Amino acid sequence: MASNPHFESYKKDVIKMNNAKRRTVIAGNWKMNFTPAEAVAFINEIKPMVEGKNNCDIIFCAPYVDIAPAMEAAKGSNIKIGAENVHFEEKGAYTGEVSAKMLTSMGVEYVIIGHSERRQYFAETDETVNKRTKAALAAGMKVILCLGEVKDERLNGITNEVVSMQTKLDLKDVTAEELKNVIIAYEPVWAIGTGLTATPEQADETCGVIRDTVASLYGRDAAEAMTIQYGGSMNDANAKELLDKVNVDGGLIGGASLVAAKFTAIVDAAQ
Ligand code: 13P
């Protein structure tokens, strides 16, 4: 279908207005991949490639053991290093867990919470996701809260209900002030690591449903100010059309965040 030039120009204006209201955030989720030495080599490689590209925030969320060396390598650059999870208790007998205070004491600002792999393989529920979110926010961290429907839910036409419910449960008792430190990453589970991507229209629509749910809880202004990312097989080839959508304010990137050229191309698509 030929695009209408008036509509295209209107769309650009809306995107411009929204960008003024909310920050575009391109974040990598390294998952369980790089050793500390590999993380450092990656940061050293990508640092000059993204230098001066300041129209979006650039974050890599790393396994705990990679955080300190990656932060050291990223010093003085426009790259921030975050964590992939955090526990909700302040301290105590929780073998294998890491607290928000441990992260903030190292200067870590961002943390992913509620990733579908945590929900699927490590028994995370909306209740524990909510507890982790509240603990991280209380410690002054910025949270990248992940949610999204599984394939059966999309096929059965209940995606909107699912993401709306997750949004409400995961943000339960989060204050309006704390909400300013929340980014939501909409990640359809069927699109993660599968090479299947939501169409730009699906991503836009579902991010819009999440935004409307946030508006119902905190008001329209708060919802319009919130960064909502898309995640799920975002790559150098499809990033531009996803990021062009009005309700998509960034990306949470898995596989392509391990390849400097691919991740840089996504950052470029967001400029
Ligand atoms: P992929 O980009 O590998 O599909 O992973 C997405 C993701 O899970 C980001 O958190």
Side-chain angles (χ1 to χ4, degrees), residues 29 31 115 117 146 187 191-194 231-234 252-256:
N29 174 6
K31 308 190 181 182
H115 192 276
E117 286 147 19
C146 301
E187 300 208 303
I192 295 178
T194 57
S233 300
M234 188 186 267
L252 184 57
I253 296 119

Side-chain angles (χ1 to χ4, degrees), residues 251-268:
L252 184 57
I253 296 119
S257 77
L258 301 168
V259 183
K262 288 189 183 179
F263 190 85
T264 303
I266 298 172
V267 168
D268 287 338

Side-chain angles (χ1 to χ4, degrees), residues 47-174:
K47 223 169 24 176
M49 297 167 78
V50 297
E51 196 186 337
K53 297 180 179 172
N54 292 325
N55 281 1
C56 62
D57 291 340
I58 301 171
I59 305 160
F60 290 101
C61 293
Y64 295 128
V65 294
D66 294 351
I67 291 177
M71 279 178 94
E72 184 60 31
K75 231 182 212 162
S77 76
N78 53 342
I79 297 171
K80 290 187 170 152
I81 306 297
E84 295 179 13
N85 197 13
V86 65
H87 197 256
F88 41 82
E89 294 294 346
E90 276 177 31
K91 64 191 299 186
Y94 301 100
T95 304
E97 293 292 330
V98 166
S99 73
K101 190 172 163 196
M102 291 172 185
L103 293 171
T104 55
S105 72
M106 298 170 67
V108 178
E109 244 181 286
Y110 288 90
V111 60
I112 293 175
I113 295 179
H115 192 276
S116 67
E117 286 147 19
R118 301 289 323 167
R119 295 178 191 250
Q120 197 177 344
Y121 306 132
F122 302 98
E124 288 277 353
T125 62
D126 286 311
E127 191 186 344
T128 58
V129 169
N130 174 247
K131 283 166 92 170
R132 290 178 202 271
T133 299
K134 283 193 297 188
L137 292 170
M141 297 191 79
K142 297 191 168 99
V143 171
I144 300 178
L145 170 63
C146 301
L147 50 90
E149 81 286 3
V150 300
K151 190 172 168 197
D152 267 359
E153 291 164 341
R154 180 155 287 269
L155 292 177
N156 283 302
I158 57 167
T159 296
N160 295 356
E161 287 86 342
V162 170
V163 298
S164 173
M165 186 185 74
Q166 289 175 327
T167 303
K168 287 178 184 166
L169 293 174
D170 297 350
L171 291 177
K172 188 167 168 284
D173 297 331
V174 168

